[in-house]
Amino acid sequence: MEKIIQITSGRGPAECSWVVAQVLKTFIEEAKENNIKTTMLQRETGIENGTVETATILLESDTLDPFMNSWIGTIQWIGQSQFRKFHKRKNWFIGIFEIEKSAATEISEKDIHYQAMRSSGAGGQHVNKVSSAVRATHFPTGISVVSMDLRSQHQNKKLATERLLQKFKEETVKQFKAEFQAQWMNQLQIQRGNPVRIFQGSDFKKQKQEKKYKQERQKLKREDYFDRE
């Protein structure tokens, strides 16, 4: 199983980029502990030293869902700004999102189907008598091109392959642009409520959740008591 995630500071200040850098390290360490292979696909450094604006990571493992579910969403860090000593803000937020995996970026020759066709247009007696034109179709994507420029079927096959590769490349660029747009939207969708993880302090320790769960249980008990009343 493979999945791609993006860790991003969104449009947050340098402090959020610092949080991304810390989360990135913690994320990779925890992935390793869970026998998950990680590959850095993209990493954009921030303005300040030791900061990261965004990072895109490929994850590979037999089971990824439990690990992903424990990270996907908003991450909160509680602490003093590393760059503005007297800044009053103590809560900083970043986001972790899943990105749809791209289609293949290269064409395999076994996926190309060639079909001989009769040429059309100018060409004298050669036209419509010899199947020299060639249609090349890439089955996985349905991209298709035709070459009938040359007299030789072999030459048209070669030209059709070149055209198919060029068209495939153009379609891939369009897809990447769409994905980058989606990533940018992710950066704008960071929500500050209900963080999936909370870290605190300059040592970036994970905040314990037991107290929160205890408070929630006590709240439910009180509600149950009043319901009985």
Side-chain angles (χ1 to χ4, degrees):
M1 181 183 294
E2 296 182 350
K3 289 184 179 291
I4 298 175
I5 64 99
Q6 182 189 58
I7 306 175
T8 175
S9 63
R11 303 178 74 176
E15 289 83 358
C16 292
S17 299
W18 180 84
V19 176
V20 170
Q22 305 309 309
V23 167
L24 179 59
K25 289 189 291 186
T26 303
F27 183 91
I28 292 176
E29 289 173 359
E30 190 169 314
K32 186 177 180 180
E33 292 172 359
N34 285 272
N35 297 316
I36 297 173
K37 180 182 177 182
T38 60
T39 303
M40 188 72 65
L41 301 179
Q42 172 266 346
R43 176 176 172 149
E44 183 180 343
T45 58
I47 297 175
E48 299 288 345
N49 289 334
T51 63
V52 177
E53 292 285 345
T54 63
T56 306
I57 307 168
L58 171 67
L59 305 176
E60 299 175 77
S61 178
D62 293 335
T63 56
L64 283 173
D65 288 340
F67 179 76
M68 294 276 288
N69 292 337
S70 72
W71 278 102
I72 298 296
T74 299
I75 308 294
Q76 179 182 3
W77 177 62
I78 303 173
Q80 179 66 45
S81 169
Q82 306 289 303
F83 311 106
R84 294 177 284 180
K85 186 175 181 180
F86 300 105
H87 194 63
K88 294 182 179 180
R89 181 176 169 182
K90 295 293 190 298
N91 294 287
W92 313 89
F93 300 88
I94 68 165
I96 298 184
F97 305 91
E98 181 177 358
I99 298 177
E100 290 298 323
K101 192 182 176 194
S102 303
T105 56
E106 295 182 358
I107 284 182
S108 173
E109 189 174 349
K110 65 180 182 180
D111 291 329
I112 301 177
H113 174 71
Y114 297 96
Q115 179 184 3
M117 303 167 55
R118 290 188 182 276
S119 298
S120 61
Q125 295 180 349
H126 177 73
V127 178
N128 293 326
K129 293 184 178 180
V130 180
S131 299
S132 60
V134 175
R135 180 190 300 278
T137 303
H138 182 236
F139 274 167
T141 60
I143 297 174
S144 180
V145 298
V146 174
S147 173
M148 56 179 65
D149 305 57
L150 307 171
R151 285 181 175 271
S152 165
Q153 186 181 107
H154 176 73
Q155 290 175 323
N156 276 327
K157 181 178 179 180
K158 182 178 179 181
L159 182 58
T161 302
E162 292 174 356
R163 288 177 176 174
L164 183 64
L165 292 174
Q166 180 61 35
K167 191 170 183 179
F168 180 83
K169 185 182 296 183
E170 292 171 356
E171 291 298 322
T172 301
V173 169
K174 289 181 182 179
Q175 184 176 355
F176 280 151
K177 286 182 178 179
E179 289 176 0
F180 291 150
Q181 179 64 28
Q183 290 179 18
W184 177 244
M185 291 304 296
N186 282 343
Q187 296 179 356
L188 302 179
Q189 292 172 357
I190 295 176
Q191 299 178 352
R192 297 186 177 186
N194 301 318
V196 294
R197 295 203 182 196
I198 301 175
F199 297 90
Q200 58 187 359
S202 58
D203 53 357
F204 213 74
K205 286 186 177 180
K206 183 179 178 181
Q207 188 180 81
K208 293 183 179 180
Q209 300 294 316
E210 287 78 9
K211 185 177 180 181
K212 179 180 177 181
Y213 298 148
K214 184 178 180 181
Q215 290 175 343
E216 186 65 24
R217 287 196 298 270
Q218 290 175 343
K219 178 182 177 182
L220 292 173
K221 285 181 180 179
R222 288 196 299 269
E223 291 176 351
D224 182 57
Y225 172 78
F226 288 120
D227 288 341
R228 290 199 302 270
E229 288 292 316

